[in-house]
């Protein structure tokens, strides 16, 4: 949004060519959203599925489908926004500054750090 002034996916298409370093961060955050290892979302989905199994099999099946379609949509969102031709209205280029990279690191790092401490949390539950 800061670079192009719009949240439209049609305008933000092709960001891999525009800002390749931010594409890596977008990929890392998308993978964490899809509950891939080593993110905290994986542990949350596994715990949720385990608790749902004891309650109702029908709910577990619907939750599994929802989890799958959520991951598929995140993958589609990543691919659609990063690949393709750049919108012709984009005339300026900026590689990003240290503040933006530090902000993304501070969003991504706790998702992967907390998974290491989660075994201690599960012990107390």
């Amino acid at each position: 949004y800061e670079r192009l002034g719009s949240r439209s996916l049609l305008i933000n298409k092709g960001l891999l060519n525009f800002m390749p370093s931010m594409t890596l961060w977008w990929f890392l955050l998308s993978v964490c959203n899809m509950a891939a290892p080593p993110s905290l979302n994986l542990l949350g989905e596994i715990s949720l599925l385990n608790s749902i199994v004891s309650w109702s099999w029908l709910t577990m099946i619907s939750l599994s489908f929802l989890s799958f379609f959520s991951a598929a949509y995140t993958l589609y969102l990543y691919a659609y926004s990063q690949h393709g031709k750049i919108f012709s209205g984009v005339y300026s280029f900026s590689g990003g500054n240290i503040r933006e990279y530090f902000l993304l690191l501070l969003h991504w790092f706790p998702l992967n750090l907390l998974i290491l401490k989660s075994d201690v949390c599960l012990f107390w539950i």
Side-chain angles (χ1 to χ4, degrees), residues 83-102:
H83 300 288
K85 293 184 178 182
I86 298 175
F87 179 65
S88 61
V90 176
Y91 297 113
S92 63
F93 177 79
S94 176
N97 54 23
I98 194 72
R99 177 188 61 87
E100 294 169 339
Y101 294 117
F102 189 61

Side-chain angles (χ1 to χ4, degrees), residues 23-107:
T23 299
L24 172 67
W25 286 105
W26 183 253
F27 176 74
L28 291 173
L29 290 169
S30 295
V31 165
C32 287
N33 189 37
M34 288 188 289
S39 72
L40 189 61
N41 290 347
L42 176 67
L43 181 68
E45 284 193 14
I46 290 172
S47 300
L48 184 63
L49 284 173
N50 283 336
S51 64
I52 292 292
V53 166
S54 65
W55 187 56
S56 169
W57 280 93
L58 184 62
T59 310
M60 187 208 64
I61 291 171
S62 65
L63 185 65
S64 298
F65 278 119
L66 284 173
S67 178
F68 171 76
F69 287 123
S70 173
Y73 177 72
T74 302
L75 187 61
Y76 170 75
L77 180 69
Y78 172 77
Y80 189 79
S81 66
Q82 300 302 315
H83 300 288
K85 293 184 178 182
I86 298 175
F87 179 65
S88 61
V90 176
Y91 297 113
S92 63
F93 177 79
S94 176
N97 54 23
I98 194 72
R99 177 188 61 87
E100 294 169 339
Y101 294 117
F102 189 61
L103 179 71
L104 290 170
L105 176 70
L106 290 177
H107 276 85

